[in-house]
Amino acid sequence: MTSGSGGASNSAIAGRVRTLRRLRQFTVRDLAAMTGVSAGMISNIENDRTSPSIAVVASICHALEVEVADLFSTKSLTDRATKKEDREVLHAADGIEKTVLLREPSRGVSFYEVDIPPGATTGTVNSHKGAIELIIVLSGKVSVFLDDVRISVQASESVKFKSEMNHYIANETTDSATFQWLITKRERSENVENP
């Protein structure tokens, strides 16, 4: 194994890089393209034949959407399932329950499952500048209000919109409804010219 100045211990991360790459369904070439590192170098890192520099480790972590500490952790990467009873539940007005499925503000992603009783409304939601929102109805029917437009969305349907719009969700029916709510930053590539 080769070791460069300022390099990280590859034996601690070789298998974890491979596992994380596979969990995200990336090929070695995919990861190489995302990091600017050659596919050969990625393969050598995964097979413990070279020790990556700190800059390469940081680039790999960014592409895999993990913290550097995740590469050195002893916790199993496949034991990340969260039981329903262990998830954080936010209680809002009108009896609305918002279960946190994923919340990573540093990456600009929030994902919730929302149970909304009959007659309830989220009220006007604070917009998230530069974000996109997606509502996916799992059961029942909700009305999504975007500025002055009302969109009726029922089970298995979805609606996507820019978060800058004034918006709220209401259950105008006599039955409960459940929907998933994804809020994510727009991809940087929309605002950056390709060289």
Side-chain angles (χ1 to χ4, degrees), residues 8 15 23 61-62 66 73 95 114 150 155 187:
L23 285 172
C61 287
H62 178 76
V66 297
S73 173
V114 181
R150 176 183 174 272
E187 291 189 30

Side-chain angles (χ1 to χ4, degrees), residues 168-188:
Y168 67 93
I169 296 100
N171 182 349
E172 301 176 311
T173 73
T174 56
D175 298 314
S176 292
T178 301
F179 62 92
Q180 291 180 331
W181 195 345
L182 174 66
I183 305 165
T184 183
K185 287 182 187 175
R186 289 189 198 137
E187 291 189 30
R188 292 182 190 169

Side-chain angles (χ1 to χ4, degrees), residues 66-78:
V66 297
E67 302 296 326
V68 172
D70 291 331
L71 293 183
F72 297 94
S73 173
T74 58
K75 183 177 178 185
S76 170
L77 293 170
T78 56

Side-chain angles (χ1 to χ4, degrees), residues 142-155:
V142 297
S143 297
V144 179
F145 292 85
L146 305 173
D147 289 333
D148 296 327
V149 176
R150 176 183 174 272
I151 302 170
S152 181
V153 189
Q154 59 190 358

Side-chain angles (χ1 to χ4, degrees), residues 32-181:
M34 290 185 287
T35 61
V37 175
S38 73
M41 174 65 113
I42 297 293
S43 178
N44 285 338
I45 291 168
E46 289 186 354
N47 290 297
D48 199 14
R49 290 190 294 249
T50 190
S51 184
S53 68
I54 299 300
V56 170
V57 169
S59 182
I60 289 171
C61 287
H62 178 76
L64 295 173
E65 298 182 347
V66 297
E67 302 296 326
V68 172
D70 291 331
L71 293 183
F72 297 94
S73 173
T74 58
K75 183 177 178 185
S76 170
L77 293 170
T78 56
D79 290 345
R80 293 192 172 209
T82 304
K83 295 179 183 176
K84 185 175 182 176
E85 60 269 16
D86 294 334
R87 294 184 186 133
E88 179 182 9
V89 177
L90 309 172
H91 300 277
D94 289 345
I96 296 172
E97 289 188 353
K98 193 168 154 180
T99 302
V100 178
L101 301 177
L102 175 70
R103 187 168 43 194
E104 295 189 11
S106 66
R107 293 190 173 105
V109 177
S110 298
F111 188 39
Y112 305 98
E113 186 166 296
V114 181
D115 292 310
I116 185 167
T121 178
T122 62
T124 302
V125 176
N126 294 333
S127 66
H128 308 274
K129 187 173 176 152
I132 299 289
E133 299 193 29
L134 175 68
I135 304 294
I136 306 164
V137 178
L138 302 177
S139 65
K141 181 178 175 181
V142 297
S143 297
V144 179
F145 292 85
L146 305 173
D147 289 333
D148 296 327
V149 176
R150 176 183 174 272
I151 302 170
S152 181
V153 189
Q154 59 190 358
S156 78
E157 295 179 342
S158 62
V159 63
K160 175 181 159 184
F161 56 92
K162 292 180 181 177
S163 187
E164 287 92 356
M165 301 176 78
N166 290 322
H167 59 280
Y168 67 93
I169 296 100
N171 182 349
E172 301 176 311
T173 73
T174 56
D175 298 314
S176 292
T178 301
F179 62 92
Q180 291 180 331
W181 195 345

